[in-house]
Coordinates of all heavy atoms in Angstrom, one line a residue:
M7 N 0.9 -1.2 0.0 CA 0.0 0.0 0.0 C 0.9 1.2 0.0 O 2.0 1.2 0.6 CB -0.9 0.0 1.2 CG -1.8 -1.2 1.4 SD -3.1 -1.4 0.2 CE -4.1 -0.1 0.5
I8 N 0.4 2.3 -0.7 CA 1.1 3.5 -0.7 C 0.4 4.6 0.1 O -0.8 4.7 -0.1 CB 1.2 4.0 -2.2 CG1 1.9 2.9 -3.1 CG2 2.0 5.3 -2.3 CD1 3.3 2.6 -2.8
V9 N 1.1 5.3 0.9 CA 0.5 6.4 1.7 C 0.3 7.6 0.7 O 1.2 8.0 0.0 CB 1.5 6.9 2.8 CG1 0.9 8.1 3.5 CG2 1.8 5.8 3.7
I10 N -1.0 8.0 0.5 CA -1.4 9.0 -0.4 C -0.8 10.4 0.0 O -0.2 11.0 -0.9 CB -2.9 9.1 -0.6 CG1 -3.4 7.7 -1.1 CG2 -3.3 10.2 -1.4 CD1 -5.0 7.6 -1.1
D11 N -1.0 10.7 1.2 CA -0.5 12.1 1.7 C 0.1 11.9 3.1 O -0.7 11.8 4.1 CB -1.7 13.0 1.7 CG -1.3 14.4 2.2 OD1 -0.2 14.6 2.6 OD2 -2.2 15.3 2.1
P12 N 1.4 11.8 3.2 CA 2.0 11.6 4.5 C 1.6 12.7 5.5 O 1.4 12.3 6.7 CB 3.5 11.7 4.2 CG 3.6 11.3 2.7 CD 2.4 11.8 2.1
G13 N 1.5 13.9 5.1 CA 1.1 15.0 6.0 C -0.3 14.8 6.6 O -0.5 15.1 7.8
K14 N -1.2 14.3 5.8 CA -2.6 14.1 6.2 C -2.6 12.9 7.2 O -3.3 13.0 8.2 CB -3.4 13.7 5.0 CG -4.9 13.4 5.3 CD -5.6 13.1 4.0 CE -7.0 12.8 4.2 NZ -7.8 12.4 3.0
L15 N -1.7 11.9 7.0 CA -1.6 10.8 8.0 C -1.2 11.4 9.4 O -1.7 11.1 10.4 CB -0.7 9.8 7.5 CG -0.6 8.5 8.2 CD1 -1.9 7.7 8.2 CD2 0.5 7.6 7.6
Q16 N -0.1 12.2 9.3 CA 0.4 12.8 10.6 C -0.7 13.7 11.3 O -0.8 13.6 12.5 CB 1.6 13.6 10.3 CG 2.3 14.2 11.5 CD 3.5 15.1 11.2 OE1 3.4 15.9 10.2 NE2 4.5 14.9 11.9
R17 N -1.3 14.5 10.5 CA -2.4 15.4 11.1 C -3.5 14.5 11.7 O -4.0 14.9 12.8 CB -2.9 16.3 10.0 CG -2.0 17.4 9.6 CD -2.6 18.4 8.7 NE -3.1 17.9 7.4 CZ -2.4 17.7 6.3 NH1 -1.1 18.0 6.3 NH2 -3.0 17.2 5.2
R18 N -3.9 13.5 11.1 CA -4.9 12.6 11.7 C -4.5 12.0 13.0 O -5.2 11.9 14.0 CB -5.4 11.5 10.7 CG -6.4 10.6 11.2 CD -7.7 11.3 11.6 NE -8.7 10.4 12.0 CZ -9.9 10.7 12.4 NH1 -10.3 11.9 12.3 NH2 -10.7 9.8 12.8
R19 N -3.2 11.5 13.0 CA -2.7 10.9 14.2 C -2.7 11.9 15.4 O -3.1 11.6 16.5 CB -1.2 10.4 14.0 CG -0.6 9.9 15.3 CD 0.9 9.6 15.1 NE 1.7 10.6 14.6 CZ 2.2 11.6 15.3 NH1 1.9 11.8 16.6 NH2 3.0 12.5 14.7
K20 N -2.2 13.1 15.1 CA -2.2 14.2 16.1 C -3.6 14.5 16.6 O -3.9 14.8 17.7 CB -1.4 15.4 15.6 CG 0.0 15.1 15.5 CD 0.8 16.4 15.0 CE 2.3 16.1 15.0 NZ 3.0 17.4 14.6
A21 N -4.6 14.6 15.6 CA -6.0 14.9 15.9 C -6.6 13.9 16.9 O -7.4 14.2 17.7 CB -6.8 15.1 14.7
K22 N -6.1 12.6 16.7 CA -6.6 11.6 17.6 C -5.9 11.5 18.9 O -6.2 10.8 19.8 CB -6.4 10.2 16.9 CG -7.3 10.0 15.7 CD -8.8 9.9 16.0 CE -9.1 8.5 16.6 NZ -10.5 8.4 16.9
G23 N -4.9 12.4 19.1 CA -4.2 12.5 20.4 C -3.2 11.4 20.6 O -2.8 11.1 21.7
L24 N -2.7 10.8 19.5 CA -1.7 9.7 19.6 C -0.3 10.2 19.3 O -0.1 11.0 18.4 CB -2.1 8.6 18.6 CG -3.4 7.9 18.8 CD1 -3.7 6.9 17.7 CD2 -3.4 7.1 20.2
T25 N 0.6 9.6 20.0 CA 2.0 9.8 19.7 C 2.4 8.8 18.6 O 1.7 7.8 18.3 CB 2.9 9.6 20.9 OG1 2.9 8.2 21.3 CG2 2.6 10.5 22.1
Q26 N 3.5 9.0 18.0 CA 4.0 8.0 17.0 C 4.2 6.7 17.7 O 3.9 5.6 17.1 CB 5.3 8.5 16.3 CG 5.2 9.6 15.4 CD 6.5 10.1 14.7 OE1 7.6 9.7 15.2 NE2 6.4 10.8 13.6
M27 N 4.7 6.7 18.9 CA 5.0 5.4 19.6 C 3.6 4.7 19.8 O 3.6 3.5 19.6 CB 5.7 5.7 20.9 CG 5.9 4.4 21.7 SD 6.9 3.2 20.8 CE 8.5 3.9 21.0
Q28 N 2.6 5.4 20.2 CA 1.3 4.8 20.5 C 0.8 4.2 19.2 O 0.3 3.0 19.2 CB 0.3 5.8 21.1 CG 0.6 6.1 22.5 CD -0.2 7.3 23.0 OE1 -0.4 8.3 22.2 NE2 -0.6 7.3 24.2
L29 N 0.9 4.9 18.1 CA 0.4 4.4 16.8 C 1.2 3.2 16.4 O 0.6 2.2 15.9 CB 0.4 5.5 15.7 CG -0.1 5.1 14.3 CD1 -1.5 4.5 14.4 CD2 0.0 6.2 13.4
A30 N 2.5 3.2 16.6 CA 3.4 2.1 16.3 C 2.9 0.9 17.0 O 2.9 -0.2 16.5 CB 4.8 2.5 16.5
I31 N 2.6 1.0 18.3 CA 2.1 -0.1 19.1 C 0.9 -0.7 18.5 O 0.8 -1.9 18.3 CB 2.0 0.3 20.6 CG1 3.3 0.6 21.2 CG2 1.2 -0.8 21.3 CD1 3.3 1.3 22.5
F32 N -0.1 0.1 18.1 CA -1.3 -0.3 17.5 C -1.0 -1.0 16.2 O -1.7 -2.0 15.8 CB -2.3 0.8 17.3 CG -2.9 1.3 18.6 CD1 -2.9 2.7 18.8 CD2 -3.6 0.5 19.5 CE1 -3.5 3.2 20.0 CE2 -4.2 1.0 20.6 CZ -4.1 2.4 20.9
A33 N -0.1 -0.4 15.4 CA 0.2 -1.0 14.1 C 1.2 -2.1 14.1 O 1.4 -2.7 13.1 CB 0.7 0.2 13.2
R34 N 1.7 -2.4 15.3 CA 2.7 -3.4 15.4 C 3.9 -3.2 14.5 O 4.3 -4.1 13.8 CB 2.1 -4.8 15.2 CG 1.2 -5.2 16.4 CD 0.6 -6.6 16.3 NE -0.7 -6.4 15.6 CZ -1.3 -7.4 15.0 NH1 -0.8 -8.6 15.0 NH2 -2.5 -7.2 14.5
C35 N 4.4 -2.0 14.6 CA 5.7 -1.7 13.9 C 6.5 -0.8 14.8 O 6.2 -0.7 16.0 CB 5.4 -1.0 12.5 SG 4.5 0.6 12.7
T36 N 7.5 -0.2 14.3 CA 8.3 0.7 15.1 C 7.9 2.2 15.0 O 7.3 2.6 14.0 CB 9.8 0.6 14.8 OG1 10.0 1.1 13.4 CG2 10.3 -0.8 14.9
Q37 N 8.3 2.9 16.0 CA 8.0 4.4 16.0 C 8.8 5.0 14.8 O 8.3 5.9 14.2 CB 8.4 5.0 17.3 CG 8.3 6.5 17.4 CD 9.6 7.2 16.9 OE1 10.7 6.8 17.1 NE2 9.4 8.3 16.2
Q38 N 10.0 4.5 14.6 CA 10.8 5.0 13.5 C 10.1 4.8 12.1 O 10.2 5.7 11.3 CB 12.2 4.3 13.5 CG 13.1 4.7 14.6 CD 12.8 3.9 15.9 OE1 11.9 3.0 15.9 NE2 13.5 4.2 17.0
Y39 N 9.4 3.7 12.0 CA 8.7 3.4 10.7 C 7.5 4.4 10.6 O 7.3 4.9 9.5 CB 8.2 1.9 10.7 CG 7.7 1.5 9.3 CD1 8.5 1.6 8.2 CD2 6.4 1.2 9.2 CE1 8.1 1.2 7.0 CE2 5.9 0.8 7.9 CZ 6.8 0.8 6.8 OH 6.3 0.5 5.6
I40 N 6.8 4.6 11.6 CA 5.7 5.6 11.6 C 6.3 7.0 11.2 O 5.7 7.7 10.3 CB 4.9 5.7 12.9 CG1 4.3 4.4 13.2 CG2 4.0 6.9 12.9 CD1 3.2 4.0 12.3
S41 N 7.4 7.4 11.7 CA 8.1 8.6 11.4 C 8.5 8.7 9.9 O 8.2 9.7 9.2 CB 9.3 8.8 12.3 OG 10.0 10.0 11.9
I42 N 9.0 7.6 9.4 CA 9.4 7.5 8.0 C 8.2 7.7 7.1 O 8.2 8.4 6.1 CB 10.1 6.2 7.7 CG1 11.5 6.3 8.4 CG2 10.2 5.9 6.2 CD1 12.3 4.9 8.4
L43 N 7.1 7.0 7.4 CA 5.8 7.1 6.6 C 5.3 8.5 6.7 O 4.9 9.1 5.6 CB 4.8 6.1 7.1 CG 5.0 4.6 6.9 CD1 3.9 3.8 7.5 CD2 5.1 4.3 5.4
E44 N 5.2 9.1 7.9 CA 4.7 10.5 8.0 C 5.5 11.5 7.3 O 5.0 12.6 6.9 CB 4.5 10.8 9.5 CG 3.4 10.1 10.1 CD 3.2 10.5 11.6 OE1 4.0 11.3 12.2 OE2 2.1 10.1 12.2
S45 N 6.8 11.3 7.2 CA 7.7 12.3 6.6 C 7.8 12.1 5.1 O 8.3 13.0 4.4 CB 9.1 12.2 7.2 OG 9.7 11.0 6.8
G46 N 7.3 11.0 4.6 CA 7.3 10.7 3.2 C 8.6 10.2 2.7 O 8.8 10.0 1.5
R47 N 9.5 9.9 3.6 CA 10.8 9.3 3.2 C 10.6 7.9 2.6 O 11.3 7.4 1.8 CB 11.8 9.2 4.3 CG 12.3 10.6 4.7 CD 13.3 10.5 5.9 NE 12.5 10.4 7.1 CZ 12.9 9.9 8.2 NH1 14.1 9.5 8.3 NH2 12.1 9.8 9.3
D48 N 9.5 7.2 3.0 CA 9.1 6.0 2.4 C 7.6 6.0 2.5 O 7.0 6.3 3.5 CB 9.6 4.8 3.2 CG 9.3 3.4 2.5 OD1 8.7 3.4 1.5 OD2 9.7 2.4 3.1
R49 N 6.9 5.7 1.4 CA 5.5 5.8 1.3 C 4.8 4.4 1.2 O 3.6 4.3 1.0 CB 5.0 6.7 0.2 CG 5.5 8.2 0.5 CD 5.2 9.1 -0.7 NE 3.8 9.4 -0.7 CZ 3.3 10.5 -1.2 NH1 4.1 11.3 -1.8 NH2 2.0 10.7 -1.2
D50 N 5.7 3.4 1.1 CA 5.2 2.1 0.9 C 5.1 1.2 2.2 O 6.1 1.2 2.9 CB 6.1 1.4 -0.1 CG 5.6 0.1 -0.7 OD1 4.4 -0.2 -0.5 OD2 6.4 -0.6 -1.4
C51 N 4.0 0.6 2.4 CA 3.9 -0.2 3.6 C 3.0 -1.4 3.2 O 2.3 -1.4 2.2 CB 3.3 0.5 4.8 SG 1.6 1.0 4.7
S52 N 3.1 -2.4 4.1 CA 2.3 -3.6 3.8 C 0.8 -3.3 4.0 O 0.4 -2.4 4.7 CB 2.7 -4.8 4.7 OG 2.3 -4.5 6.1
E53 N 0.0 -4.1 3.4 CA -1.5 -4.0 3.6 C -1.8 -4.2 5.1 O -2.7 -3.5 5.6 CB -2.2 -5.0 2.7 CG -3.7 -4.7 2.8 CD -4.5 -5.6 1.8 OE1 -3.8 -6.3 0.9 OE2 -5.7 -5.6 1.8
D54 N -1.2 -5.1 5.7 CA -1.5 -5.4 7.2 C -1.2 -4.1 8.0 O -2.1 -3.8 8.8 CB -0.6 -6.5 7.7 CG -1.1 -7.9 7.2 OD1 -2.2 -8.0 6.7 OD2 -0.3 -8.8 7.3
I55 N -0.1 -3.5 7.8 CA 0.2 -2.3 8.6 C -0.8 -1.2 8.2 O -1.3 -0.5 9.1 CB 1.7 -1.8 8.4 CG1 2.6 -2.8 9.1 CG2 1.9 -0.4 8.9 CD1 4.1 -2.6 8.9
A56 N -1.1 -1.0 6.9 CA -2.0 0.0 6.5 C -3.4 -0.2 7.2 O -4.0 0.7 7.7 CB -2.2 0.0 5.0
L57 N -3.8 -1.5 7.2 CA -5.1 -1.8 7.9 C -5.1 -1.5 9.4 O -6.0 -0.9 9.9 CB -5.5 -3.2 7.7 CG -5.9 -3.6 6.3 CD1 -5.9 -5.1 6.1 CD2 -7.3 -3.0 6.0
R58 N -4.0 -1.8 10.1 CA -3.9 -1.5 11.5 C -3.8 0.0 11.8 O -4.4 0.4 12.7 CB -2.7 -2.3 12.1 CG -2.9 -3.8 12.1 CD -1.9 -4.6 12.9 NE -0.6 -4.5 12.4 CZ 0.0 -5.4 11.7 NH1 -0.6 -6.5 11.3 NH2 1.3 -5.3 11.2
I59 N -3.1 0.7 10.9 CA -3.0 2.2 11.1 C -4.4 2.7 10.9 O -4.8 3.6 11.7 CB -2.0 2.8 10.1 CG1 -0.6 2.5 10.5 CG2 -2.2 4.3 10.0 CD1 0.5 2.9 9.5
S60 N -5.1 2.3 9.9 CA -6.4 2.8 9.6 C -7.4 2.5 10.7 O -8.2 3.4 11.1 CB -7.0 2.1 8.3 OG -6.2 2.5 7.2
K61 N -7.3 1.4 11.3 CA -8.2 1.0 12.4 C -7.8 1.9 13.7 O -8.7 2.4 14.3 CB -8.0 -0.5 12.8 CG -8.9 -0.9 13.9 CD -8.9 -2.4 14.1 CE -9.8 -2.8 15.2 NZ -9.7 -4.2 15.5
A62 N -6.5 2.1 13.9 CA -6.1 2.9 15.1 C -6.5 4.3 15.0 O -6.9 5.0 15.9 CB -4.6 2.8 15.3
L63 N -6.5 4.8 13.7 CA -6.8 6.2 13.5 C -8.3 6.4 13.1 O -8.7 7.6 12.9 CB -6.0 6.8 12.4 CG -4.5 6.9 12.6 CD1 -3.7 7.4 11.4 CD2 -4.2 7.7 13.9
D64 N -9.1 5.3 13.1 CA -10.5 5.4 12.8 C -10.7 6.1 11.4 O -11.5 7.1 11.3 CB -11.3 6.0 13.9 CG -12.8 5.8 13.8 OD1 -13.2 4.8 13.2 OD2 -13.5 6.7 14.2
I65 N -10.0 5.6 10.4 CA -10.1 6.2 9.1 C -10.5 5.1 8.1 O -10.3 3.9 8.3 CB -8.8 6.9 8.7 CG1 -7.6 5.9 8.7 CG2 -8.6 8.1 9.5 CD1 -6.3 6.5 8.3
D66 N -11.0 5.5 6.9 CA -11.2 4.6 5.8 C -9.8 4.4 5.1 O -9.1 5.3 4.7 CB -12.2 5.1 4.8 CG -13.6 5.1 5.3 OD1 -13.9 4.3 6.2 OD2 -14.4 6.1 5.0
L67 N -9.5 3.1 4.9 CA -8.2 2.8 4.3 C -8.0 3.5 3.0 O -6.9 4.1 2.7 CB -8.2 1.2 4.0 CG -6.9 0.7 3.4 CD1 -5.8 0.7 4.3 CD2 -7.2 -0.7 2.9
E68 N -9.0 3.6 2.1 CA -8.9 4.2 0.8 C -8.7 5.7 0.8 O -8.2 6.2 -0.2 CB -10.2 3.9 0.0 CG -10.5 2.4 -0.2 CD -11.2 1.8 1.0 OE1 -11.8 2.5 1.8 OE2 -11.1 0.5 1.1
D69 N -9.0 6.3 1.9 CA -8.8 7.8 2.0 C -7.3 8.1 2.3 O -6.9 9.3 2.1 CB -9.6 8.4 3.1 CG -11.1 8.3 2.8 OD1 -11.5 8.2 1.6 OD2 -11.9 8.5 3.7
Y70 N -6.5 7.2 2.8 CA -5.2 7.4 3.2 C -4.1 6.6 2.5 O -3.0 6.9 2.4 CB -5.0 7.3 4.7 CG -5.7 8.4 5.5 CD1 -7.0 8.4 5.7 CD2 -4.9 9.4 6.0 CE1 -7.6 9.5 6.4 CE2 -5.5 10.4 6.8 CZ -6.8 10.4 6.9 OH -7.4 11.5 7.6
F71 N -4.6 5.4 1.9 CA -3.7 4.5 1.3 C -4.3 4.1 -0.1 O -5.5 4.0 -0.2 CB -3.5 3.2 2.1 CG -2.9 3.5 3.5 CD1 -3.7 3.8 4.6 CD2 -1.5 3.5 3.6 CE1 -3.1 4.0 5.8 CE2 -0.9 3.8 4.9 CZ -1.7 4.0 6.0
E72 N -3.4 3.8 -1.0 CA -3.8 3.2 -2.3 C -3.0 1.9 -2.5 O -1.8 1.9 -2.1 CB -3.8 4.2 -3.4 CG -2.4 4.6 -3.8 CD -2.4 5.7 -4.9 OE1 -3.4 6.1 -5.3 OE2 -1.3 6.1 -5.3
A73 N -3.6 1.0 -3.2 CA -2.9 -0.2 -3.5 C -1.8 0.1 -4.5 O -1.9 0.9 -5.4 CB -3.9 -1.2 -4.2
R74 N -0.7 -0.6 -4.3 CA 0.4 -0.4 -5.2 C 0.2 -1.2 -6.4 O -0.4 -2.3 -6.4 CB 1.8 -0.7 -4.5 CG 2.0 -2.1 -4.2 CD 3.4 -2.3 -3.7 NE 3.4 -2.2 -2.2 CZ 3.5 -3.2 -1.4 NH1 3.7 -4.4 -1.9 NH2 3.5 -3.1 -0.1
E75 N 0.7 -0.7 -7.6 CA 0.5 -1.4 -8.8 C 1.5 -2.6 -8.8 O 2.7 -2.4 -8.5 CB 0.8 -0.5 -10.0 CG -0.3 0.5 -10.2 CD -0.1 1.3 -11.5 OE1 0.5 0.8 -12.4 OE2 -0.5 2.5 -11.5
L76 N 1.0 -3.7 -9.2 CA 1.9 -4.8 -9.4 C 2.5 -4.7 -10.8 O 1.9 -4.5 -11.8 CB 1.1 -6.2 -9.3 CG 0.4 -6.4 -8.0 CD1 -0.4 -7.7 -8.1 CD2 1.4 -6.5 -6.9
T77 N 3.8 -4.8 -10.7 CA 4.6 -4.7 -12.0 C 5.0 -6.1 -12.4 O 5.5 -6.9 -11.6 CB 5.8 -3.8 -11.9 OG1 6.6 -4.3 -10.8 CG2 5.4 -2.4 -11.6
R78 N 4.7 -6.4 -13.6 CA 5.1 -7.7 -14.1 C 6.2 -7.5 -15.2 O 6.1 -6.6 -16.0 CB 3.9 -8.4 -14.7 CG 2.9 -8.8 -13.7 CD 1.9 -9.7 -14.3 NE 1.0 -10.1 -13.2 CZ 0.3 -11.2 -13.2 NH1 0.2 -11.9 -14.3 NH2 -0.5 -11.5 -12.2
N79 N 7.1 -8.4 -15.2 CA 8.1 -8.4 -16.3 C 7.5 -8.8 -17.6 O 6.7 -9.7 -17.7 CB 9.3 -9.3 -16.0 CG 10.0 -8.9 -14.7 OD1 10.1 -7.7 -14.4 ND2 10.6 -9.8 -14.0
P80 N 7.7 -8.0 -18.7 CA 7.2 -8.4 -20.0 C 7.7 -9.7 -20.4 O 8.9 -10.0 -20.1 CB 7.6 -7.2 -20.9 CG 8.8 -6.6 -20.2 CD 8.6 -6.8 -18.7
P81 N 7.0 -10.4 -21.2 CA 7.5 -11.7 -21.7 C 8.7 -11.4 -22.6 O 8.8 -10.5 -23.3 CB 6.3 -12.3 -22.5 CG 5.4 -11.2 -22.7 CD 5.6 -10.2 -21.7
V82 N 9.7 -12.3 -22.5 CA 10.9 -12.2 -23.2 C 11.0 -13.3 -24.2 O 10.8 -14.5 -23.8 CB 12.1 -12.2 -22.3 CG1 13.4 -12.1 -23.1 CG2 12.0 -11.1 -21.3
A83 N 11.2 -13.0 -25.5 CA 11.3 -14.1 -26.5 C 12.6 -14.8 -26.2 O 13.7 -14.2 -26.0 CB 11.3 -13.5 -27.9
T84 N 12.5 -16.1 -26.2 CA 13.7 -16.9 -26.0 C 14.0 -17.7 -27.3 O 13.1 -17.9 -28.1 CB 13.6 -17.8 -24.8 OG1 12.4 -18.7 -25.0 CG2 13.4 -17.0 -23.5
T85 N 15.2 -18.2 -27.4 CA 15.5 -19.0 -28.5 C 15.7 -20.4 -28.1 O 16.3 -20.7 -27.0 CB 16.8 -18.5 -29.1 OG1 16.7 -17.1 -29.4 CG2 17.2 -19.3 -30.4
S86 N 15.1 -21.3 -28.8 CA 15.2 -22.7 -28.4 C 16.6 -23.2 -28.8 O 17.3 -22.6 -29.5 CB 14.1 -23.6 -29.1 OG 14.3 -23.6 -30.5
R87 N 16.9 -24.4 -28.4 CA 18.2 -25.0 -28.7 C 18.5 -25.1 -30.2 O 19.6 -25.1 -30.6 CB 18.3 -26.4 -28.0 CG 18.4 -26.2 -26.5 CD 18.6 -27.6 -25.9 NE 18.7 -27.4 -24.5 CZ 19.1 -28.3 -23.6 NH1 19.5 -29.4 -24.0 NH2 19.1 -28.0 -22.3
D88 N 17.4 -25.3 -31.0 CA 17.7 -25.4 -32.4 C 17.8 -24.1 -33.1 O 17.9 -24.0 -34.3 CB 16.6 -26.3 -33.1 CG 15.2 -25.7 -33.1 OD1 15.1 -24.5 -32.6 OD2 14.3 -26.3 -33.5
G89 N 17.7 -23.0 -32.4 CA 17.9 -21.7 -32.9 C 16.6 -21.0 -33.3 O 16.6 -19.8 -33.7
S90 N 15.4 -21.6 -33.2 CA 14.2 -21.0 -33.6 C 13.6 -20.3 -32.4 O 13.9 -20.7 -31.2 CB 13.2 -22.0 -34.1 OG 12.9 -23.0 -33.1
A91 N 12.8 -19.3 -32.6 CA 12.1 -18.5 -31.5 C 11.1 -19.4 -30.8 O 10.4 -20.2 -31.5 CB 11.5 -17.3 -32.0
A92 N 11.1 -19.4 -29.5 CA 10.2 -20.2 -28.8 C 8.8 -19.5 -28.6 O 8.7 -18.3 -28.6 CB 10.8 -20.5 -27.4

């Protein structure tokens, strides 16, 4: 999951009267990780952590996080042993 707006996440935490440490306890991660997410230094987190943060802050997941796009490697043409394209 990607944090849509790190500042909005921080403002919501503060509005709920929670410290980063308290939110980290609810989200089962470290205070340092909450700080990194709120500062925007890293905006990517697991769905589990995003769900726990959303629950602790009483927010809708979709308002603060978006699913990350899955990137797939494009198919690569290979050559068979006899030299023809596979």
Side-chain angles (χ1 to χ4, degrees):
M7 304 293 292
I8 305 294
V9 177
I10 296 170
D11 181 351
K14 183 179 176 183
L15 188 65
Q16 181 182 45
R17 288 188 299 277
R18 178 63 178 182
R19 174 185 57 78
K20 288 181 176 183
K22 293 292 285 183
L24 295 174
T25 65
Q26 287 181 343
M27 180 58 78
Q28 289 168 323
L29 180 55
I31 291 168
F32 288 128
R34 289 183 266 163
C35 64
T36 65
Q37 175 273 323
Q38 291 83 1
Y39 190 62
I40 297 296
S41 175
I42 288 168
L43 289 176
E44 288 183 352
S45 70
R47 287 179 283 158
D48 187 359
R49 296 174 78 155
D50 192 10
C51 68
S52 72
E53 186 174 352
D54 287 341
I55 289 177
L57 287 167
R58 290 191 295 262
I59 288 172
S60 296
K61 184 175 180 182
L63 296 179
D64 193 28
I65 56 176
D66 289 328
L67 179 73
E68 300 81 20
D69 291 340
Y70 287 76
F71 298 92
E72 65 184 4
R74 70 176 90 107
E75 290 186 28
L76 297 177
T77 56
R78 294 190 172 199
N79 294 331
V82 177
T84 59
T85 306
S86 65
R87 291 184 182 193
D88 66 1
S90 62

